[in-house]
mmCIF file of all heavy atoms in Angstrom:
data_model
loop_
_atom_site.group_PDB
_atom_site.id
_atom_site.type_symbol
_atom_site.label_atom_id
_atom_site.label_comp_id
_atom_site.label_asym_id
_atom_site.label_seq_id
_atom_site.Cartn_x
_atom_site.Cartn_y
_atom_site.Cartn_z
ATOM 1 N N LYS L 14 -5.788 -11.563 10.016
ATOM 2 C CA LYS L 14 -5.676 -12.576 11.007
ATOM 3 C C LYS L 14 -4.479 -12.424 11.942
ATOM 4 O O LYS L 14 -3.358 -12.151 11.458
ATOM 5 C CB LYS L 14 -5.609 -13.985 10.337
ATOM 6 C CG LYS L 14 -6.953 -14.429 9.696
ATOM 7 C CD LYS L 14 -6.946 -15.841 9.204
ATOM 8 C CE LYS L 14 -8.117 -16.088 8.403
ATOM 9 N NZ LYS L 14 -9.428 -16.006 9.035
ATOM 10 N N THR L 15 -4.741 -12.682 13.197
ATOM 11 C CA THR L 15 -3.626 -12.765 14.114
ATOM 12 C C THR L 15 -2.924 -14.063 14.051
ATOM 13 O O THR L 15 -3.392 -14.981 13.314
ATOM 14 C CB THR L 15 -4.075 -12.622 15.644
ATOM 15 O OG1 THR L 15 -4.997 -13.815 15.840
ATOM 16 C CG2 THR L 15 -4.875 -11.334 15.844
ATOM 17 N N ILE L 16 -1.814 -14.274 14.754
ATOM 18 C CA ILE L 16 -1.101 -15.543 14.676
ATOM 19 C C ILE L 16 -2.046 -16.653 15.132
ATOM 20 O O ILE L 16 -2.183 -17.730 14.494
ATOM 21 C CB ILE L 16 0.206 -15.555 15.613
ATOM 22 C CG1 ILE L 16 1.152 -14.508 14.956
ATOM 23 C CG2 ILE L 16 0.792 -16.925 15.620
ATOM 24 C CD1 ILE L 16 2.384 -14.287 15.876
ATOM 25 N N ALA L 17 -2.722 -16.431 16.264
ATOM 26 C CA ALA L 17 -3.581 -17.538 16.823
ATOM 27 C C ALA L 17 -4.716 -17.811 15.839
ATOM 28 O O ALA L 17 -5.066 -19.029 15.626
ATOM 29 C CB ALA L 17 -4.217 -17.081 18.176
ATOM 30 N N GLU L 18 -5.268 -16.791 15.244
ATOM 31 C CA GLU L 18 -6.387 -17.022 14.357
ATOM 32 C C GLU L 18 -5.847 -17.801 13.089
ATOM 33 O O GLU L 18 -6.559 -18.676 12.522
ATOM 34 C CB GLU L 18 -7.077 -15.777 13.873
ATOM 35 C CG GLU L 18 -7.830 -15.042 14.964
ATOM 36 C CD GLU L 18 -8.108 -13.579 14.799
ATOM 37 O OE1 GLU L 18 -7.537 -12.943 13.794
ATOM 38 O OE2 GLU L 18 -8.900 -13.008 15.562
ATOM 39 N N GLY L 19 -4.698 -17.457 12.656
ATOM 40 C CA GLY L 19 -4.035 -17.994 11.473
ATOM 41 C C GLY L 19 -3.750 -19.496 11.739
ATOM 42 O O GLY L 19 -4.003 -20.367 10.884
ATOM 43 N N ILE L 20 -3.277 -19.784 12.925
ATOM 44 C CA ILE L 20 -3.006 -21.275 13.295
ATOM 45 C C ILE L 20 -4.255 -22.014 13.284
ATOM 46 O O ILE L 20 -4.321 -23.169 12.825
ATOM 47 C CB ILE L 20 -2.205 -21.342 14.569
ATOM 48 C CG1 ILE L 20 -0.776 -20.811 14.374
ATOM 49 C CG2 ILE L 20 -2.223 -22.743 15.170
ATOM 50 C CD1 ILE L 20 0.041 -20.648 15.605
ATOM 51 N N ALA L 21 -5.344 -21.490 13.956
ATOM 52 C CA ALA L 21 -6.568 -22.214 14.032
ATOM 53 C C ALA L 21 -7.029 -22.565 12.564
ATOM 54 O O ALA L 21 -7.486 -23.659 12.189
ATOM 55 C CB ALA L 21 -7.628 -21.431 14.745
ATOM 56 N N PHE L 22 -7.008 -21.543 11.662
ATOM 57 C CA PHE L 22 -7.459 -21.700 10.289
ATOM 58 C C PHE L 22 -6.588 -22.791 9.599
ATOM 59 O O PHE L 22 -7.190 -23.703 8.982
ATOM 60 C CB PHE L 22 -7.263 -20.364 9.608
ATOM 61 C CG PHE L 22 -7.706 -20.349 8.157
ATOM 62 C CD1 PHE L 22 -8.958 -19.778 7.737
ATOM 63 C CD2 PHE L 22 -6.875 -20.922 7.135
ATOM 64 C CE1 PHE L 22 -9.299 -19.698 6.373
ATOM 65 C CE2 PHE L 22 -7.299 -20.865 5.760
ATOM 66 C CZ PHE L 22 -8.488 -20.264 5.425
ATOM 67 N N THR L 23 -5.280 -22.629 9.809
ATOM 68 C CA THR L 23 -4.418 -23.594 9.050
ATOM 69 C C THR L 23 -4.589 -25.098 9.600
ATOM 70 O O THR L 23 -4.524 -26.049 8.787
ATOM 71 C CB THR L 23 -2.972 -23.144 9.256
ATOM 72 O OG1 THR L 23 -2.905 -21.761 8.865
ATOM 73 C CG2 THR L 23 -2.020 -23.899 8.330
ATOM 74 N N THR L 24 -4.778 -25.188 10.817
ATOM 75 C CA THR L 24 -4.939 -26.536 11.430
ATOM 76 C C THR L 24 -6.143 -27.201 10.709
ATOM 77 O O THR L 24 -6.069 -28.372 10.313
ATOM 78 C CB THR L 24 -5.187 -26.469 12.936
ATOM 79 O OG1 THR L 24 -4.057 -25.680 13.422
ATOM 80 C CG2 THR L 24 -5.250 -27.854 13.583
ATOM 81 N N ARG L 25 -7.176 -26.449 10.561
ATOM 82 C CA ARG L 25 -8.438 -27.048 9.948
ATOM 83 C C ARG L 25 -8.256 -27.228 8.472
ATOM 84 O O ARG L 25 -8.698 -28.233 7.898
ATOM 85 C CB ARG L 25 -9.585 -26.049 10.274
ATOM 86 C CG ARG L 25 -10.941 -26.467 9.689
ATOM 87 C CD ARG L 25 -11.609 -27.540 10.592
ATOM 88 N NE ARG L 25 -12.868 -27.932 10.058
ATOM 89 C CZ ARG L 25 -13.122 -29.076 9.409
ATOM 90 N NH1 ARG L 25 -12.167 -29.965 9.302
ATOM 91 N NH2 ARG L 25 -14.334 -29.306 8.932
ATOM 92 N N LEU L 26 -7.444 -26.286 7.831
ATOM 93 C CA LEU L 26 -7.332 -26.422 6.421
ATOM 94 C C LEU L 26 -6.511 -27.673 6.094
ATOM 95 O O LEU L 26 -6.751 -28.323 5.058
ATOM 96 C CB LEU L 26 -6.596 -25.174 5.864
ATOM 97 C CG LEU L 26 -6.372 -25.104 4.406
ATOM 98 C CD1 LEU L 26 -7.760 -25.037 3.591
ATOM 99 C CD2 LEU L 26 -5.540 -23.904 3.946
ATOM 100 N N LYS L 27 -5.587 -27.979 6.959
ATOM 101 C CA LYS L 27 -4.783 -29.191 6.753
ATOM 102 C C LYS L 27 -5.704 -30.440 6.717
ATOM 103 O O LYS L 27 -5.545 -31.289 5.951
ATOM 104 C CB LYS L 27 -3.737 -29.371 7.933
ATOM 105 C CG LYS L 27 -2.423 -29.005 7.488
ATOM 106 C CD LYS L 27 -1.459 -28.933 8.599
ATOM 107 C CE LYS L 27 -0.861 -30.351 8.953
ATOM 108 N NZ LYS L 27 0.259 -30.197 9.920
ATOM 109 N N GLN L 28 -6.605 -30.552 7.700
ATOM 110 C CA GLN L 28 -7.538 -31.618 7.699
ATOM 111 C C GLN L 28 -8.366 -31.675 6.477
ATOM 112 O O GLN L 28 -8.476 -32.730 5.811
ATOM 113 C CB GLN L 28 -8.563 -31.446 8.904
ATOM 114 C CG GLN L 28 -7.922 -31.554 10.264
ATOM 115 C CD GLN L 28 -8.996 -31.114 11.331
ATOM 116 O OE1 GLN L 28 -10.009 -30.392 11.005
ATOM 117 N NE2 GLN L 28 -8.747 -31.518 12.570
ATOM 118 N N ILE L 29 -8.856 -30.582 5.977
ATOM 119 C CA ILE L 29 -9.694 -30.475 4.811
ATOM 120 C C ILE L 29 -8.847 -30.877 3.575
ATOM 121 O O ILE L 29 -9.246 -31.600 2.749
ATOM 122 C CB ILE L 29 -10.183 -29.101 4.570
ATOM 123 C CG1 ILE L 29 -11.177 -28.689 5.755
ATOM 124 C CG2 ILE L 29 -10.974 -28.912 3.267
ATOM 125 C CD1 ILE L 29 -11.445 -27.256 5.900
ATOM 126 N N SER L 30 -7.572 -30.415 3.602
ATOM 127 C CA SER L 30 -6.683 -30.743 2.408
ATOM 128 C C SER L 30 -6.533 -32.214 2.172
ATOM 129 O O SER L 30 -6.356 -32.628 1.000
ATOM 130 C CB SER L 30 -5.271 -30.027 2.509
ATOM 131 O OG SER L 30 -4.588 -30.651 3.492
#
Side-chain angles (χ1 to χ4, degrees):
K14 290 189 191 295
T15 62
I16 295 173
E18 289 162 353
I20 288 175
F22 181 105
T23 309
T24 306
R25 182 79 180 104
L26 184 63
K27 256 173 85 168
Q28 294 170 340
I29 297 164
S30 70

